[in-house]
Structures are given as C-alpha cells and as structure tokens.
C-alpha cells in the first residue's frame, strides 16, 4: 500500500513518506518561498515529482531511491540527522557541496555517503523536476492553483491573444489564467 501523508492527505504513488519528506525539503531549498511569494512547497512540486516518477523508467526511480538514501546517509554522517531535519542553512550547505561535486554517468546503488557523483546526478534531477513542477499545467500535480504562473505573470493555456494583448509592454497579468482543464470545460460548454 502506498504511503499517505497525514497532514496533507496525500497518497504517494511512488515515494514512501520518508522519501517524500526528503525530496520536498530539497525542492523547498531549490525554490523557497519568500516575502509572501510561493515556492516549491506552496505549489506542491512534490506531488508533481511523485506522479512523474511513478510513471517513469526504473533507472529514474532508482536514482530517486538511491539519491534519497545517499543524501540522508551523508547528512547523518556529517550532522547526525536526516536531510529534512536540518536547518535551512545546513540544508543549503549540503546542497552546495553536492552541486559542486562531479556528476557521474552512474545511477547505481550508492557505495556510501562519499558517493557524491550519484548525489550530483540526483540533485540535478530534482532541480529539473522542481522547475517543471513549479510551472507545469496543474493537471500534472504541480503548480497548485496556478501559483507558479501567477508568480511570473504567465496566463497559462489560452486559445489565443488579441492585438492589444500582443502589443509590446502589455501586462499579461491582466489576462485571466486558464488551465488545460479550463479549456476542456469551455469546449464541453460550446458542444452542449
């Protein structure tokens, strides 16, 4: 049976609760919220990554499982705590160390906490998925309530733009945001 997060009532498709906690903590350091602006947690990037990973090839799933294990082994060795239990400052220190290490082609099982090639590959993967989860269409599990699009002023899925909206300098934040589901709903209404 898949793990379930009691707080958010999220039923994970791929991650265990502990894996989701670790990956969510990484995402929150890659794209933190600040000054009232949403970050990875508010946009539910972890849900996007969980859904994406559940449907991907074994090599990608293995990179996540091995990466989480190696990262927690590294932080346990350095600080006696799992990654998600560290302060934001310590998490940043660890991620900067991992990012500076050399990525290898291997996504094999970690040979130990010093296997930073695996960690570099894992971190690059989480980084890419964090950005995708921030700005994807909400139907894929991330960009909750189109918060990522609101953040950058992207109007989402549109049928098109009028001449005024195409004018240089037009404030695209004035265009109501639509998702792919909004477009489908409009089509159903038009066909009814």
């Amino acid at each position: 049976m898949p793990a379930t997060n009691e707080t958010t009532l999220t039923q994970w498709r791929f991650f265990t609760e502990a894996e989701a906690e670790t990956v969510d903590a990484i995402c929150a350091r890659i794209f933190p919220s600040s000054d009232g602006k949403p970050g990875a947690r508010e946009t539910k990037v972890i849900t996007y990554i969980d859904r994406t990973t559940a449907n991907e090839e074994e090599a990608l799933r293995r990179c996540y499982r091995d990466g989480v294990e190696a990262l927690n082994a590294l932080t346990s060795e350095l600080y006696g705590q799992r990654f998600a239990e560290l302060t934001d400052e310590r998490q940043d220190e660890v991620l900067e160390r991992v990012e500076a290490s050399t990525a290898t082609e291997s996504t094999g099982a970690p040979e130990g906490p010093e296997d930073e090639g695996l960690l570099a590959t894992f971190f690059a993967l989480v980084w890419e998925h964090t950005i995708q989860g921030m700005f994807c269409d909400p139907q894929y599990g991330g960009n909750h309530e189109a918060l990522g699009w609101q953040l950058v002023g992207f109007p989402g899925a549109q049928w098109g733009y009028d001449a005024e909206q195409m004018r240089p300098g037009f404030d695209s934040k004035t265009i109501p945001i639509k998702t792919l589901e909004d477009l489908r709903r409009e089509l159903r209404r038009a066909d009814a």
Side-chain angles (χ1 to χ4, degrees), residues 133-148:
M134 279 291 302
F135 302 108
C136 66
D137 189 276
Q139 77 175 356
Y140 299 109
N143 192 15
H144 179 66
E145 296 181 351
L147 291 172

Side-chain angles (χ1 to χ4, degrees), residues 112-124:
E114 71 285 353
D115 190 356
E116 293 185 2
L118 166 65
L119 285 174
T121 301
F122 168 64
F123 181 67

